[in-house]
Amino acid sequence: FTLLLGTSGSSAEGSAVDIYEAIELALTNNSGLRSLRQETIKAYAFQIQADGTLLPSLSANAYLDRQKESTTDDEERNDNKGARATLEQVIYSGGKNSAIRSQSKQVKNIAGMIIANGENNAVGELYARFYNVLLQRERIKAEESAVNTSEQHLKEVSKMRELGLANSLEVIRAGQLLATNTANLSTAKGLYESAHISLMNYMGIPPEKRREVTGKLSVPEAEGTRQTSLEMAQANRADLKKLEEQLGYQKNQILIEKSGARPKITFGASAGYLNPYLKDDRGDDTWRAELSVTVPIFDRNTARGNAIRAGAVLEQDKIALEQKELDIKSEVETAWTEIESTLHHLKASEKVLELAKESLRLAEVGFREGVTPQLDLLNAQTSLTSARLDHARSQYNHLLTIVALKVTEGTVIGWTGEKR
C-alpha cells in the first residue's frame, strides 16, 4: 500500500499541467500572492486593537524599598513595600475610539480588495506565461517541419545531381537552408525551455521538479460588448472597491485627528497594600476611585493641523477614485480596440498560411517537373515556416488581448477560455 501510494504521488507530481491546475497552483504557491495574504493578518491585528478600546486597561505593580541611614546616635533602617493594581476605563475619547472601531472593518475590506486585485492580476500574468509555453511549442513544431522539409529536399537534390539533373550549387543551397533551419530549431527549443522555467517559477515549482504543460493555442471568441464589459468592471474591479473603502477609512481618520481637541472622560480605580501606612509602623490596604475629565485648551494647533492634513489626504483619495473610474473606461475601450485589431491580423495570417501551403505544393511539383527554379522552391519553404510562426504569434496575441479584457473586467479567475 505504501509503495502504491508513493507511486501515485510521484505520477501526480510528474503529470502534465493544464490551465485549470496552473491557475490553482499559481493562486496557492505564487510568492507575491502569499505575501499579499499577510494583509489579512495585519487587518486582524488592527481589529483586535480596535476592539480593545471597549475594554479597560489593567496593570499591577509592586515595590520593595530598603533604605539605611546613619546618624551620630545609632543606625536606622527604613523598609517600604507595597503592591497596587490599577484599572482605567476611557468613557469618552472625543470620538476617537468609535472611529477606530469603524476603521477596523474598513481595513479588513481593504485587505480583501488588495488580495483580490492581486489574484486577478496574477492570473492574467499566468495566462501570458502559460500560453507563451504553448506558443514556443508551436514554434518548435514549425521549425521541425522546416528541418524535415529541408532534409528531404537535400536528399532529392543530391540524387538529382547524381543523375545529372541538378548541379552542385543547388545542393549547396539546400544544405545552407537545412543548416539555417536547424539553427532556428535549436533557438526555438531554448526559448521553450526559458518559457517553461518561467511558468514553473511563477507557480512555485522549482526547475528540478518541472512538469509538462498540456493545452492548445486555441482562440476563443470575445463575448459581450464594450458596455457590458464596462458594467462588469465597475462591479468587479477590486482596486476600484479598495479606493471606495479608502474614502470611508480616511473620513474616520479625520474624526480621530479632531478628537485631540475634544474633552476626554476617564474612570480609574486602584487598590493595593502599603507598609508602612501613612508613615506609621504598620501595613494596611488602600484604594482609590477617580473620574477625571480632561479638556484641552491649547495644544499648539497640533490637532487642527493633523485634521487639515487628513482632509487633504481625503481629497487625494477622491481624486484617485475619479481617475481610477476614468482609467477603467479607457482600459475597456483599449481592450476591445486591441481585440478587433488582433482578430483582423489573425484572420489575415490564416489566409497567408493557407496560401503559403498551396504555394509550396505548387513549387514542389514544378521543381520535380523542371519548370520551377530551386530558389522559388526554397523561398516557398521559408515563406511557409514564416507563415506558421506568424499564425501562432497572431493566435497568442489575440488570446492575450481577450485575457487583458477579462483582467480589466475583473473576471479572469472564473474564465479560462477553454472547456473541460
Side-chain angles (χ1 to χ4, degrees), residues 255-297:
L255 296 178
I256 292 173
E257 303 299 347
K258 287 182 176 180
S259 68
R262 295 172 181 171
K264 295 177 179 58
I265 302 176
T266 306
F267 172 78
S270 63
Y273 172 80
L274 291 177
N275 186 22
Y277 177 70
L278 295 179
K279 298 183 180 181
D280 294 338
D281 191 16
R282 63 188 179 88
D284 202 355
D285 296 331
T286 64
W287 64 271
R288 179 181 66 86
E290 178 182 64
L291 184 66
S292 64
V293 179
T294 303
V295 181
I297 298 176

Side-chain angles (χ1 to χ4, degrees), residues 112-300:
M113 294 302 103
I114 290 175
I115 296 171
N117 184 59
E119 291 177 343
N120 186 63
N121 294 331
V123 172
E125 175 65 20
L126 174 71
Y127 270 104
R129 297 185 185 226
F130 185 90
Y131 283 106
N132 186 39
V133 174
L134 300 184
L135 171 64
Q136 300 308 323
R137 182 183 293 171
E138 291 298 318
R139 180 172 181 174
I140 290 176
K141 292 179 181 179
E143 298 295 354
E144 286 177 343
S145 177
V147 169
N148 293 334
T149 302
S150 300
E151 289 177 344
Q152 183 65 29
H153 177 65
L154 179 59
K155 292 178 181 178
E156 291 180 0
V157 174
S158 298
K159 291 181 180 179
M160 292 173 67
R161 183 180 62 177
E162 294 175 358
L163 299 175
L165 301 176
N167 55 45
S168 298
L169 180 58
E170 290 176 328
V171 176
I172 292 174
R173 288 172 181 165
Q176 288 175 335
L177 183 59
L178 175 58
T180 300
N181 290 338
T182 302
N184 292 338
L185 176 59
S186 178
T187 301
K189 290 180 178 179
L191 293 174
Y192 173 80
E193 287 296 313
S194 298
H196 195 190
I197 293 173
S198 176
L199 173 63
M200 295 296 112
N201 178 67
Y202 201 73
M203 296 189 298
I205 300 176
E208 65 272 12
K209 295 183 179 180
R210 281 187 291 170
R211 297 170 60 183
E212 290 300 319
V213 176
T214 181
K216 296 181 180 180
L217 198 61
S218 58
V219 180
E221 294 184 2
E223 300 176 350
T225 63
R226 282 173 164 81
Q227 184 59 34
T228 56
S229 293
L230 178 59
E231 292 173 357
M232 294 179 69
Q234 292 171 339
N236 298 321
R237 283 286 290 269
D239 51 350
L240 180 64
K241 295 180 180 180
K242 171 183 172 293
L243 291 175
E244 293 172 350
E245 286 288 340
Q246 186 67 33
L247 292 181
Y249 176 89
Q250 195 59 32
K251 289 177 182 178
N252 282 313
Q253 188 63 33
I254 294 175
L255 296 178
I256 292 173
E257 303 299 347
K258 287 182 176 180
S259 68
R262 295 172 181 171
K264 295 177 179 58
I265 302 176
T266 306
F267 172 78
S270 63
Y273 172 80
L274 291 177
N275 186 22
Y277 177 70
L278 295 179
K279 298 183 180 181
D280 294 338
D281 191 16
R282 63 188 179 88
D284 202 355
D285 296 331
T286 64
W287 64 271
R288 179 181 66 86
E290 178 182 64
L291 184 66
S292 64
V293 179
T294 303
V295 181
I297 298 176
F298 181 67
D299 64 349
R300 295 177 293 183

Side-chain angles (χ1 to χ4, degrees), residues 28 34 110 135 137 141 177 180 183 340 368 384 399 404:
T28 303
R34 289 164 54 198
I110 289 174
L135 171 64
R137 182 183 293 171
K141 292 179 181 179
L177 183 59
T180 300
E340 294 171 355
R368 293 190 185 100
L384 177 58
L399 178 59

Side-chain angles (χ1 to χ4, degrees), residues 63-91:
Y63 67 89
L64 175 62
D65 179 18
R66 174 168 293 185
Q67 180 178 346
K68 181 179 180 182
E69 297 181 355
S70 299
T71 62
T72 56
D73 299 332
D74 54 2
E75 295 182 353
E76 293 183 359
R77 173 176 293 170
N78 297 322
D79 294 339
N80 298 311
K81 55 186 176 180
R84 180 179 298 274
T86 303
L87 179 146
E88 186 176 84
Q89 175 66 57
V90 176
I91 298 177

